Amino acid sequence: MRTTLMMCATVLAPAIADAQALAGAHGEREGITAVARHVFDDPTMPGKEFRVLHTTYAPGGQNPKHYHPSHVVFYVLEGKGVWQEEGKEAVNLKPGESLHVRPGTVHAHRNPSTTERLVFLEFVIVDKGQRSTVPMR
């Protein structure tokens, strides 16, 4: 019995650790600083605003499962990050690479490094006053 439990723990530990890394220990954002660099209106998109955010994840920083009510494009400036859409394989991004996430797509992202920060730009078009990230609880 003890041998069976040890074998199960050995097999399941990496999957559990990965899930916890994406979800966060308590399902909360950790180590994230987002600064709005530009927020502006465009007369061709009434009621909408365009946001450019400069986001930094400290080593180990993470944003657990959430979605955006709009399209978001991530563009990595520094470090390496992991993005994972629900039900799909994780995507690793490095400087100069980008990712488009469609509205309503449940996903998580994190900085897997224990020593380096992850820095990226987020480009978002949302309804005025709308939050761009909706956490999953």
Side-chain angles (χ1 to χ4, degrees), residues 84-96:
Q84 186 166 16
E85 292 182 11
E86 196 166 60
K88 293 187 177 181
E89 291 292 320
V91 175
N92 297 293
L93 298 177
K94 60 185 186 294

Side-chain angles (χ1 to χ4, degrees), residues 7-75:
M7 286 174 47
C8 286
T10 302
V11 170
L12 293 176
I16 292 169
D18 191 45
Q20 287 175 334
L22 285 175
H26 303 289
E28 296 183 19
R29 292 170 53 123
E30 295 177 13
I32 301 171
T33 304
V35 177
R37 292 292 184 207
H38 302 281
V39 177
F40 52 91
D41 298 327
D42 184 321
T44 65
M45 299 181 294
K48 302 276 186 185
E49 64 185 21
F50 188 83
R51 300 177 188 160
V52 179
L53 303 168
H54 185 263
T55 304
T56 302
Y57 279 40
Q62 60 189 341
N63 193 352
K65 286 185 180 182
H66 63 282
Y67 68 91
H68 304 279
S70 60
H71 293 270
V72 177
V73 174
F74 298 97
Y75 181 82

Side-chain angles (χ1 to χ4, degrees), residues 96-114:
E97 295 182 332
S98 62
L99 177 71
H100 170 225
V101 176
R102 297 184 188 287
T105 301
V106 175
H107 65 287
H109 30 96
R110 65 185 172 92
N111 178 359
S113 176
T114 58

